[in-house]
Amino acid sequence: MSAALEPSEWRRRAERGSPLLLRTMAWLSLHWGRGPGRALLHLVAGYYFLFAPGARRSMRAYLRRALGRTPRAADRYRLILYFANTVQDRLYMLSGRYDRFEITVQGEALIRELVDTRSGAFLFGAHVGSFEVLRFIGDRQPDLAVAMAMYEDNARKLNAVMASARPRNAPQIIALGHVDAMLRIREQLDQGALVGVLADRRLGDEAAVAVDFLGARAHLPLGPMRAAALLRRQVLFMVGLYRGGRRYHVVFEPLADFTHIARARRAEAVEAVEAAVRRYGRLLEQYCRSDPYNWFNFFDFWAAPRDGVHAAQPRAEEE
């Protein structure tokens, strides 16, 4: 996950949005309430619907696969509006206003066990729904410590605005692409923290696993899962699905367990890592089909890596 890699499309794409507009919307949302703030989101959604042609093409391609039909304009608008809703809701979640939401949780016992045993582990999410809703679990389990390993450069303006919410119990942020990132991740894990990673995007032309995803070949990064194997940790899949209005549904599922993997048996480790990435892809596909308007990768997700980039192929049973 080196910073020297050729940047992927999502990293090259400039962050949109006027800082003044973002700050104004954040202030109105926090001081006027969720209802009036929601009305403003339609203006934002309408702007992106009309003036982001690259994102529109990507949305059409994704929705055609997830819905199994040609998407209508209303489908594309709904996808943008869901994204805008989750961004606004981050403001309230950062400030601990969970009473505004109806949140259901599936698999919370998995988190409780990790907290009780002080077993540091990875949480692998995706740019699907809201990862911020994990804070709700933290409020219910005060001994839960979370660190986020993320690439920050493409969201500096938005992150600065989110800071205006005066986050309560803000998680540690580990910036990927820096030489000390792995050391900081190990330190957090050794202290019993959960390290969250959005593992669906390649940072550049890095090693990847080719998976059948929504009926076409996609390439998921190997790096995050390799790191989990190297550090010999458990990995849980996590997704926070927005289901309209005030409703969120959080899911935790077992993804991989590298705690007993033998470093000396390289072939076995490679196979286990690639199998775990494929399972991650299947889980991601499952929730894209059940909740299709939660997908927030507005670029060509199915673009193939450049020639010469290693991409492990799907196994025969996945063809």
Side-chain angles (χ1 to χ4, degrees), residues 154-183:
N154 285 61
R156 289 191 184 279
K157 287 189 288 188
L158 182 58
N159 289 339
V161 171
M162 289 297 163
S164 66
R166 297 180 180 178
R168 190 178 73 183
N169 299 324
Q172 292 285 331
I173 300 297
I174 301 172
L176 297 177
H178 295 264
V179 294
D180 65 339
M182 185 66 83
L183 293 175

Side-chain angles (χ1 to χ4, degrees), residues 67-79:
L67 298 174
R69 59 173 171 80
T70 300
R72 298 183 291 269
D75 294 310
R76 289 183 280 119
Y77 183 79
R78 185 178 177 185
L79 179 58

